[in-house]
Amino acid sequence: MKKIALVAATICVLAGVFFFVFKGADADATVKSIVLPIDVPEIAAGPGRDAYTSKCMACHSSRYVTMQPEFPRKVWENEVTKMIKVYGASIDQDQVPDIVGYLVSIRGAPEKSAPK
């Protein structure tokens, strides 16, 4: 008895969907639309920006770097190397200097001068 009730309920639901899809809820209904704003993130200008956006933003949001502390060049080099070796980032070796240069230009710590 339960199977018959389930089959009957399924048939009713399918009939309702069929009627709605093929006959329409309202034959004179107009299509309504909304326009959503486009959120284009701000990406700071700097040397190597194109390499950064094409390789790093495949996994990281544009705001990711701005949340990092200011690191010296060597730390940024290590971070980019880690992304390649540990996480398999698709970065060619000839792109590393451009990416590191960009990271240093926007979040680089001032280089300490050698003691005199």
Side-chain angles (χ1 to χ4, degrees):
M1 187 68 170
K2 289 181 182 179
K3 286 185 179 180
I4 293 174
L6 182 60
V7 170
T10 303
I11 291 171
C12 288
V13 168
L14 292 175
V17 169
F18 179 84
F19 178 78
F20 183 80
V21 170
F22 292 103
K23 296 291 184 184
D26 182 4
D28 295 328
T30 58
V31 175
K32 295 179 174 49
S33 65
I34 60 171
V35 177
L36 298 174
I38 298 173
D39 183 22
V40 178
E42 293 281 331
I43 303 168
R49 179 180 174 205
D50 291 341
Y52 170 79
T53 57
S54 69
K55 295 299 180 173
C56 302
M57 289 182 62
C59 297
H60 300 289
S61 76
S62 62
R63 294 182 183 107
Y64 183 76
V65 170
T66 61
M67 298 183 313
Q68 304 304 313
E70 292 181 343
F71 291 132
R73 177 175 295 277
K74 187 65 178 166
V75 174
W76 282 121
E77 288 170 352
N78 291 339
E79 288 298 308
V80 172
T81 299
K82 178 177 70 175
M83 293 300 137
I84 297 167
K85 292 184 177 180
V86 176
Y87 297 108
S90 172
I91 299 171
D92 297 329
Q93 285 302 315
D94 62 330
Q95 294 172 311
V96 171
D98 290 339
I99 293 171
V100 170
Y102 178 73
L103 294 169
V104 169
S105 76
I106 64 169
R107 295 301 295 167
E111 297 292 328
K112 294 180 182 176
S113 58
K116 294 181 181 183

